[in-house]
Amino acid sequence: MKYPCSLIKDLLPLYHDGVCSEESNKIIENHLSECSSCKDYYNFLCETDEIFTAPQNAELEMKKAASFRSIKRKLRKKQILVVVLAFAIFAAASFSIVGFLKKSEQVISYENNISVSMADNSLIGRLQGNQANYFKIKQVEVKNNGQMDTYLFFYMSGTKWDDLITNDDIFSEYVLCSADKGAENIDRVFYYIGDYTGIESMDIGNLQKIIDNSILLWRK
């Protein structure tokens, strides 16, 4: 039985989509093998499908690419945020440590870094590799071999921060006893980092224990 082309053309979209019955498929295929017009129409349907499928796939790929770019931007923002946050934490920790070190007062130990000399009738202490922020100074009069001598005991303290940032090429000088305060009357200068309680009233026996634990830096 021969079917009209108009009917076959109405069925071709269904045949193209694969929804025709097996019997209808045979009828259409037999007709296409004999009718060049319907065959051309079917080929046109296939070409049209390819034309419209390509942009859809391209759009899908563009959406995927846009999605990947969006993910990369988010990751980059997160990475920048992590770096900024790490820097902020590092800066805060650094400021805290520096602040702590600047407030950490410590007695400066004698390590051949302290000297005393007389200059312009004043006793001058010279410190190497650090900065002194505080001085403990005591003058003690003691009877020694039948005569009165005047001893000066002192120590200096600084911060751990100054100790870290000051190198051995740096020297700082401090007046231990000025000329108008009787520097010419000082007989000896000792560096002592122990207890100064009652040192002014000690007798020569107790004071000798202090002297034994001190560093003699200058004598007249």
Side-chain angles (χ1 to χ4, degrees):
M1 180 178 181
K2 187 173 179 63
Y3 293 91
C5 289
S6 58
L7 177 62
I8 297 301
K9 288 181 178 179
D10 288 339
L11 293 174
L12 280 178
L14 300 176
Y15 173 76
H16 176 268
D17 292 338
V19 294
C20 289
S21 65
E22 184 176 351
E23 183 179 358
S24 296
N25 286 340
K26 290 180 179 180
I27 294 172
I28 293 171
E29 290 169 357
N30 289 332
H31 184 86
L32 291 178
S33 64
E34 298 174 354
C35 179
S36 59
S37 174
C38 290
K39 179 68 174 178
D40 291 340
Y41 181 71
Y42 177 70
N43 291 335
F44 172 75
L45 287 178
C46 293
E47 291 174 358
T48 302
D49 181 66
E50 291 178 358
I51 291 173
F52 284 101
T53 301
Q56 290 176 355
N57 292 337
E59 182 180 358
L60 179 60
E61 293 301 322
M62 290 177 65
K63 288 182 179 180
K64 288 182 179 179
S67 177
F68 286 137
R69 287 195 296 270
S70 176
I71 293 172
K72 287 179 67 176
R73 284 196 297 270
K74 289 180 180 179
L75 289 176
R76 191 178 296 112
K77 288 181 180 179
K78 287 184 179 181
Q79 290 173 345
I80 294 173
L81 181 61
V82 169
V83 171
V84 171
L85 183 60
F87 178 79
I89 293 173
F90 174 77
S94 298
F95 284 130
S96 299
I97 293 173
V98 170
F100 172 77
L101 292 176
K102 285 184 176 181
K103 293 180 180 179
S104 299
E105 197 81 16
Q106 61 180 4
V107 174
I108 298 173
S109 300
Y110 176 79
E111 297 174 354
N112 291 322
N113 55 339
I114 305 169
S115 61
V116 176
S117 60
M118 182 73 77
D120 297 328
N121 295 320
S122 295
L123 284 169
I124 306 297
R126 195 177 195 218
L127 174 62
Q128 178 184 11
N130 207 332
Q131 296 286 334
N133 298 322
Y134 174 79
F135 290 83
K136 184 75 172 182
I137 301 175
K138 290 288 185 178
Q139 289 188 30
V140 180
E141 292 186 351
V142 59
K143 190 172 183 179
N144 187 18
N145 295 326
Q147 65 178 17
M148 294 299 296
D149 289 336
T150 302
Y151 295 164
L152 185 147
F153 295 87
F154 81 101
Y155 72 77
M156 297 179 285
S157 64
T159 66
K160 292 181 179 180
W161 175 251
D162 289 329
D163 192 22
L164 285 174
I165 66 172
T166 309
N167 59 54
D168 290 340
D169 296 329
I170 302 299
F171 292 85
S172 52
E173 294 185 344
Y174 309 92
V175 177
L176 300 177
C177 186
S178 60
D180 61 340
K181 296 296 183 180
E184 73 278 3
N185 297 321
I186 305 296
D187 296 289
R188 298 181 186 181
V189 178
F190 296 92
Y191 193 73
Y192 175 60
I193 62 174
D195 186 8
Y196 278 67
T197 304
I199 192 173
E200 305 98 321
S201 58
M202 288 183 180
D203 56 29
I204 186 60
N206 289 322
L207 189 63
Q208 188 60 47
K209 297 177 182 178
I210 301 295
I211 293 173
D212 292 341
N213 289 288
S214 303
I215 306 297
L216 177 62
L217 295 180
W218 182 87
R219 66 187 302 167
K220 187 181 292 184

